[in-house]
Amino acid sequence: MMREPKLAVPETSAAGQAARWFARQRVSPLSETEAFEFEAWLKADATHTAAWSEFERLWGRVEAVRDDPKILAIREEARHRAAGQVGARQGRRVAAALAASLVLSVAVWWGLHKSVLAPSDVPTLAHVSEFPDPTPPLILDASTEIGERSLLVLADGSKVTLNTASAVRADYTGRERRLTLVRGEAFFDVVKDPTRPFIVTAGARQVIAVGTAFNVRLQNRQVKVTLVEGKVRVFHTTMPASVSGTEAPAAPSVTLEAGSALVAEADGADHIERLDTARATSWRSGKLVFEGERLADVVAEMNRYSRQQLEIADSKLGSRRVSGVFEPTEAHAFARALEAYGIARARQQTETTIVLDAP
């Protein structure tokens, strides 16, 4: 019989509090009051942002192996302990407590396995609340697997939400806040600091912001920058290494306003388009929203989020228009929806392939 893991992280510690906040958010969306309390907790102490970032990193590793028999055993044992102890009036509160217990148990269990999560894998942000020169730069790498999303809270309070199969590298100094989108897609919610520009590099483009919210996608050498709030400037990466102070970038730039996107093609051609930013960033809520888009494009987008791949057998079928809100990781549910609306027929060709035929 497996021994029950002892929680090495007290709930009063920053790590314990981070686990409880994380678990609470997995139960249901935060209320307006809870969201305010969460923001206040993050800003109250540098160790809180550090603990939150470390916990996101750790839990991402746990999610990747959530079907491991040992993990399943811990989860089931925690559920059995809570069975019969919940009144309807206390449902959500106890659900959050159970989730936190589950989170802490599993996190501690994985934390003991250094071969899976080595100390060097965990970002340490507790001692970098300020960045006076010549403090060495803070370097942080974070990534997600296919179908995963992850929230990264940086030391200055700025947030980076990583989409499926994405990776980012943060390099903070006393003068600049630099990040590189290595692959995939990320949403950046930037804390305003006029003295330290926030610079995101993706492919052959750099985005410079002070305090704003924007989305960057790097795919097949195409870069798409979608501005949700504020203003940003987008440069070619031939710009100077530093843009702080009064130094002017040498490369030509494009200034975006909210509700617009810059699309930089692999051949160097750029164009700006107006779009619905809520729909363009709907992935942050775990949904994909399509309005009259080609089935071929919808399938290509859905395939980014799942190892279960969709294939279109009839080229004419790819031109059919599709509208709807879908769970990106649910390829089977998406295929059933297409059948229900008479758009396509679906058949499971292999264990990981669903073929779509004309109805």
Side-chain angles (χ1 to χ4, degrees):
M1 178 178 179
M2 181 187 296
R3 290 168 50 190
E4 179 179 351
K6 296 186 180 298
L7 302 186
V9 185
E11 294 178 18
T12 55
S13 70
Q17 293 171 28
R20 288 208 160 266
W21 275 116
F22 186 82
R24 171 62 192 88
Q25 293 183 42
R26 291 177 71 86
V27 173
S28 63
L30 296 180
S31 66
E32 185 175 344
T33 300
E34 288 170 329
F36 177 80
E37 291 174 352
F38 175 60
E39 290 288 340
W41 176 79
L42 278 177
K43 295 176 181 177
D45 195 301
T47 60
H48 292 177
T49 56
W52 180 259
S53 297
E54 291 184 9
F55 200 87
E56 278 283 330
R57 177 84 166 186
L58 172 62
W59 189 253
R61 295 295 186 87
V62 173
E63 285 283 272
V65 289
R66 60 190 173 191
D67 293 329
D68 184 284
K70 297 184 179 66
I71 298 294
L72 293 173
I74 293 173
R75 291 166 58 186
E76 287 306 309
E77 193 167 344
R79 288 193 181 99
H80 288 315
R81 288 199 305 270
Q85 300 178 11
V86 182
R89 190 164 51 93
Q90 296 175 309
R92 194 176 73 165
R93 181 179 299 176
V94 175
L98 173 58
S101 172
L102 222 60
V103 164
L104 280 168
S105 297
V106 174
V108 170
W109 188 89
W110 267 113
L112 295 176
H113 290 68
K114 302 302 182 184
S115 61
V116 176
L117 184 63
S120 59
D121 290 333
V122 181
T124 303
L125 308 183
H127 305 295
V128 289
S129 58
E130 296 182 2
F131 303 88
D133 286 333
T135 301
L138 164 68
I139 298 177
L140 170 66
D141 294 296
S143 62
T144 55
E145 300 297 330
I146 294 175
E148 293 181 341
R149 297 193 317 277
S150 181
L151 172 64
L152 174 68
V153 181
L154 301 175
D156 66 332
S158 296
K159 302 179 184 67
V160 182
T161 307
L162 289 179
N163 199 0
T164 177
S166 301
V168 70
R169 176 183 177 88
D171 189 351
Y172 271 37
T173 69
R175 294 189 179 92
E176 297 172 341
R177 298 171 289 173
R178 283 186 174 270
L179 296 95
T180 300
L181 181 62
V182 179
R183 64 175 182 273
E185 186 172 20
F187 185 88
F188 301 88
D189 189 355
V190 183
V191 170
K192 189 172 183 179
D193 184 352
T195 66
R196 289 196 304 153
F198 191 94
I199 307 166
V200 177
T201 299
R205 296 296 182 274
Q206 287 189 334
V207 185
I208 302 177
V210 175
T212 186
F214 59 97
N215 193 86
V216 181
R217 177 167 169 168
L218 174 61
Q219 185 176 19
N220 299 326
R221 296 179 60 203
Q222 182 197 74
V223 179
K224 185 172 185 178
V225 180
T226 302
L227 184 60
V228 174
E229 178 184 315
K231 288 185 178 182
V232 297
R233 290 180 295 161
V234 184
F235 296 85
H236 284 264
T237 50
T238 53
M239 63 183 293
S242 174
V243 296
S244 57
T246 59
E247 182 180 349
S253 67
V254 174
T255 299
L256 290 180
E257 296 187 354
S260 63
L262 172 75
V263 180
E265 302 293 351
D267 61 5
D270 293 357
H271 69 271
I272 296 177
E273 59 186 39
R274 300 291 298 181
L275 43 69
D276 181 345
T277 57
R279 185 158 62 93
T281 60
S282 62
W283 61 266
R284 298 169 59 209
S285 62
K287 306 288 184 181
L288 292 181
V289 181
F290 302 104
E291 292 184 6
E293 298 179 44
R294 295 173 62 249
L295 178 60
D297 296 330
V298 173
V299 165
E301 185 66 11
M302 292 288 292
N303 282 344
R304 293 176 60 212
Y305 295 81
S306 176
R307 300 188 187 280
Q308 185 80 236
Q309 296 288 284
L310 298 157
E311 291 185 3
I312 299 177
D314 185 343
S315 59
K316 293 182 180 179
L317 182 61
S319 300
R320 294 287 300 271
R321 299 291 171 172
V322 176
S323 298
V325 180
F326 304 101
E327 296 276 355
T329 58
E330 296 295 332
H332 284 287
F334 175 72
R336 288 197 298 271
L338 293 179
E339 288 189 317
Y341 284 95
I343 296 175
R345 289 186 299 107
R347 55 185 172 86
Q348 189 82 41
Q349 186 176 58
T350 69
E351 187 176 343
T352 58
T353 305
I354 300 174
V355 175
L356 302 176
D357 292 304

